[in-house]
Amino acid sequence: MVLIVFLLAYLVRRKLDSSGHFSGDALWRAWFHRGSRVHAGAETSVAGGLALVLLPAFLSGLLEYLLTGYGVRWLVYPVEFTVLVAMMGAPGWKRVLRAYSDAWSRDDMQGAWHHVRDWLPVEDRQEDSSAESMHLSLSRAFMVSIFERYFMVAFWFVVGGMPAAILARGLVALAEQWPQAAARPRFVRWAEWLAWIPVRLVSVTFGVAGDLAGWLGEAKGLLLPFSKPAGELLAASANSALTGYALDPERFLKVHPDEWSRFGATSLGAVRDLLNRTMLVWLCALALLVIAGVV
């Protein structure tokens, strides 16, 4: 049932994302509003944020334990489905990427930047940045968002059930949305710890779902640095697994100068296709684990 529950939740979540409905970020933001006020000098405290994440994780585990204990294990499945739909999802990206691609095709780089600036990391929001650096920053932000809201949730759900999925997604939400900005670096560090294994699995799967020969040529440099941040690893892995210089705008411009106006849409399309194929590989692997009786 793990495979069926996750597959149904994934399909529903993708449909919601396409229509731009039901953002899990908004759910976490409303929940974290309880931590918007702290005593002076306690701005760096992480106790309140952890409590707000551990509480729903604990309650979900307790509910699963009670339902199983009372012999109604089947009632856990709709709860798991609801939790997964709430934890996964990145609505809004489809609209932003379409507007960005349209602006790029018109060679309106200023307009493209205005469409995506709020979606970029704070350190990459310089208005005078080059088109190449803007595109690479956007691609990395998009991959990180999908990884944290789909692959990371999927990994911890399979490993530890609902509590682990809520904890993983909750730490990501704390790193991005906790009202006390001074405490966020610690949440970022903890989220990176939870991402360490799944991001390397995604990196390997990029090779399987893309250009395996190209990925193998970079595999040692990708996987061995244990402290490489998830965003850097995803970007480097995708670049090695994609063909046609999809994530190498400078090289693309030199080789195909006449097609530069199509680069934005083509590159983002290649990244989306790679992520979709990677999830398909994960679903196939999960099916094999279910057949083998591992999960």
Side-chain angles (χ1 to χ4, degrees):
M1 286 300 294
V2 173
L3 174 62
I4 296 175
V5 170
F6 178 77
L7 181 58
L8 290 176
Y10 173 70
L11 293 175
V12 170
R13 188 63 258 184
R14 286 293 301 270
K15 186 68 175 178
L16 290 172
D17 281 2
S18 297
S19 58
H21 292 143
F22 188 61
S23 170
D25 290 332
L27 192 65
W28 284 111
R29 192 178 301 112
W31 179 240
F32 291 157
H33 182 69
R34 299 170 180 270
S36 59
R37 293 182 180 180
V38 297
H39 297 292
E43 291 84 359
T44 60
S45 174
V46 298
L50 282 178
L52 290 175
V53 169
L54 290 174
L55 178 61
F58 170 76
L59 292 177
S60 68
L62 178 62
L63 178 62
E64 182 176 1
Y65 174 79
L66 292 176
L67 292 176
T68 302
Y70 281 108
V72 286
R73 180 71 175 82
W74 60 271
L75 287 177
V76 175
Y77 303 136
V79 178
E80 289 179 335
F81 170 82
T82 303
V83 167
L84 284 174
V85 170
M87 294 299 102
M88 294 193 297
W93 274 109
K94 183 178 181 180
R95 173 185 54 80
V96 170
L97 296 182
R98 182 187 294 117
Y100 170 85
S101 298
D102 290 343
W104 185 290
S105 67
R106 299 191 304 269
D107 199 27
D108 180 12
M109 298 307 170
Q110 189 71 16
W113 182 82
H114 279 286
H115 283 302
V116 302
R117 61 180 176 178
D118 293 336
W119 296 77
L120 300 178
V122 175
E123 62 272 14
D124 294 339
R125 294 180 184 177
Q126 299 88 353
E127 190 169 359
D128 58 348
S129 60
S130 65
E132 292 85 351
S133 61
M134 173 184 66
H135 184 80
L136 292 177
S137 178
L138 174 65
S139 300
R140 182 169 59 250
F142 174 60
M143 285 187 285
V144 169
S145 180
I146 298 301
F147 165 74
E148 291 175 340
R149 289 158 176 79
Y150 279 101
F151 294 98
M152 193 168 168
V153 173
F155 175 83
W156 287 110
F157 173 70
V158 173
V159 171
M162 287 188 293
I166 293 173
L167 177 61
R169 182 64 181 90
L171 282 177
V172 169
L174 285 171
E176 295 177 347
Q177 303 179 44
W178 183 241
Q180 308 306 320
R184 290 181 189 173
R186 294 176 68 181
F187 294 134
V188 170
R189 185 166 64 252
W190 294 343
E192 284 284 344
W193 290 348
L194 286 182
W196 197 91
I197 296 177
V199 76
R200 279 157 178 78
L201 288 178
V202 168
S203 174
V204 173
T205 318
F206 276 176
V208 176
D211 179 10
L212 182 58
W215 183 88
L216 287 174
E218 304 289 338
K220 185 177 180 180
L222 293 172
L223 302 179
L224 287 185
F226 293 148
S227 60
K228 179 176 288 188
E232 291 184 16
L233 180 56
L234 287 171
S237 300
N239 185 38
S240 65
L242 289 171
T243 58
Y245 311 115
L247 282 179
D248 191 348
E250 293 183 359
R251 187 69 180 274
F252 184 92
L253 181 59
K254 291 179 181 178
V255 177
H256 306 290
D258 297 336
E259 300 181 22
W260 180 243
S261 62
R262 296 176 48 245
F263 175 76
T266 301
S267 174
L268 292 174
V271 171
R272 287 196 300 267
D273 290 344
L274 179 63
L275 290 169
N276 288 335
R277 293 195 304 270
T278 299
M279 180 56 76
L280 180 60
V281 173
W282 274 44
L283 290 172
C284 293
L286 179 57
L288 292 175
L289 291 176
V290 171
I291 294 172
V294 177
V295 295

